[in-house]
Amino acid sequence: MRMNAVTLKQLRALDAVARGGSLTAAGESLNLTTPAIHTQIRGLEDAVGMKLIQRAVDGAGSELTEAGKALRETALRIEDNLSQAEATLSAIARGQVGRITLGVVSTGKYFAPRLVKMLQDAHPEIEVALRVGNRSAIIEGIERGSFDIAVMGRPPRHPPVVAEPIGQHPHALVAPPDHPLISKADDLEQLFGETFISREEGSGTRILMSRWLDRVGDGRLYDTLEMDSNETIKQAVMAGLGIAFLSLHTVTDELETGRLALIPAPGLPLMRHWFLVRRESERPRELALRVWDEIVEMNGAFLPHPIPD
């Protein structure tokens, strides 16, 4: 195995085959001929001493072997690191000391801009790039090294991370202000007769909702209506399509203006925490540690306060 003989061109050809599903599609995406892609892959296989691509199961095109998939993950991390380096050098060229990339789960987009502004005010010499994605995307970014640090709810089990709580994160049921459950939240039969509008399976909020309903419902079944964003869910609730279990940080404005109201159901609001996380296996850059410490010292000052004291 001669890993020092591996080139970026070879790794990019491997990634292109994975994305395109064939040597021909890979060549088109990289503006290379099919024979040129074949040469790059053959050279990569010779360097690592393993087969990296194989004919697809359906016989049409090519797919990566397990070894190819593992090597592609490394290639993606290299591309992310190069992108980070390019952005940092550009920041230095503009007179700043560097750049950090902050990943935030989609529920956090309601306060993330304020957090970035507070960081810029505290450290104008540091450029902070904000990247928002769902929980799966943020975890993938942490694993690949796309983010220096990230803000999310429940820290992942994999990859192993360093996590520190940075503020409370309340969750509750919301409905239109004239909904009968606003005054009859202890009526579990009526509650479980509602349609619960929720995010996709696997989202942090959906998991929390399911656990709460299972606990208070004692095995009762319930209907769900899945939607792909908090904004769509809020509009659906206001339109009368159902009720929703949401992070209260996503509905601050709607609660203040009376477009939505809290259902005072048992055990709600459910209080969780926001966490600052970074990958455990990588030594963080000094710049990222400075921003990490600054966020921790803010003690959640950037978070909205949807529940009156």
Side-chain angles (χ1 to χ4, degrees):
M1 189 174 295
R2 299 176 293 112
M3 294 302 293
N4 61 346
V6 172
T7 69
L8 276 176
K9 285 185 177 181
Q10 292 170 341
L11 294 175
R12 285 168 176 162
L14 182 70
D15 178 52
V17 172
R19 286 185 285 107
S22 71
L23 298 180
T24 301
E28 291 174 351
S29 69
L30 296 178
N31 293 318
L32 295 173
T33 64
T34 301
I37 293 292
H38 184 270
T39 298
Q40 295 292 345
I41 297 298
R42 183 62 180 272
L44 187 56
E45 290 179 331
D46 288 344
V48 302
M50 301 178 75
K51 191 76 173 173
L52 300 176
I53 66 171
Q54 62 190 6
R55 184 169 295 279
V57 175
D58 60 6
S62 302
E63 62 183 13
L64 302 192
T65 63
E66 288 303 313
K69 292 175 183 177
L71 188 56
R72 185 190 180 220
E73 285 300 314
T74 299
L76 293 175
R77 285 195 291 270
I78 290 172
E79 291 287 5
D80 284 336
N81 287 335
L82 287 173
S83 178
Q84 289 263 42
E86 180 182 13
T88 297
L89 292 174
S90 296
I92 292 172
R94 292 192 295 271
Q96 296 172 302
V97 299
R99 177 183 191 266
I100 70 110
T101 302
L102 175 67
V104 177
V105 292
S106 52
T107 304
K109 70 181 181 182
Y110 297 91
F111 62 78
R114 185 181 182 198
L115 170 58
V116 172
K117 179 63 166 62
M118 293 174 71
L119 289 172
Q120 288 178 340
D121 290 344
H123 294 284
E125 75 283 5
I126 301 175
E127 179 180 323
V128 181
L130 177 64
R131 299 287 181 268
V132 177
N134 62 25
R135 177 178 172 83
S136 296
I138 296 301
I139 292 175
E140 181 181 347
I142 293 170
E143 185 169 20
R144 285 170 45 180
S146 303
F147 313 127
D148 291 288
I149 54 182
V151 176
M152 64 192 311
R154 178 172 48 90
R157 294 180 180 178
H158 181 79
V161 297
V162 177
E164 189 162 355
I166 55 173
Q168 290 189 325
H169 187 190
H171 296 74
L173 286 174
V174 296
D178 59 351
H179 196 286
L181 279 173
I182 301 300
S183 58
K184 293 179 59 179
D186 58 344
D187 188 340
L188 291 183
E189 290 303 323
Q190 183 172 351
L191 177 64
F192 278 83
E194 292 287 333
T195 296
F196 291 87
I197 307 173
S198 66
R199 291 289 299 274
E200 69 279 2
E201 290 280 359
S203 77
T205 305
R206 176 70 172 267
I207 293 170
L208 201 57
M209 180 193 79
S210 299
R211 289 176 177 172
W212 178 78
L213 288 172
D214 290 343
R215 185 169 70 250
V216 301
D218 194 25
R220 286 181 174 88
L221 300 178
Y222 53 90
D223 293 327
T224 59
L225 179 59
E226 188 173 301
M227 295 188 179
D228 63 0
S229 75
N230 292 319
E231 287 301 316
T232 306
I233 291 174
K234 290 190 291 184
Q235 293 299 320
V237 173
M238 287 187 280
L241 291 177
I243 62 178
F245 183 94
L246 288 171
S247 160
L248 295 188
H249 288 158
T250 70
V251 292
T252 303
D253 290 343
E254 290 80 5
L255 291 175
E256 288 180 352
T257 58
R259 288 175 289 164
L260 291 173
L262 294 177
I263 297 176
L268 297 182
L270 197 60
M271 201 64 70
R272 291 295 183 265
H273 286 87
W274 287 107
F275 287 88
L276 203 57
V277 302
R278 67 175 187 264
R279 191 171 176 178
E280 186 179 69
S281 61
E282 291 185 357
R283 184 175 181 274
R285 295 185 297 144
E286 186 64 33
L287 206 61
L289 286 178
R290 284 172 58 186
V291 173
W292 176 286
D293 291 340
E294 183 68 34
I295 295 175
V296 171
E297 289 175 8
M298 289 178 184
N299 196 28
F302 49 87
L303 294 172
H305 300 283
I307 304 174
D309 294 330

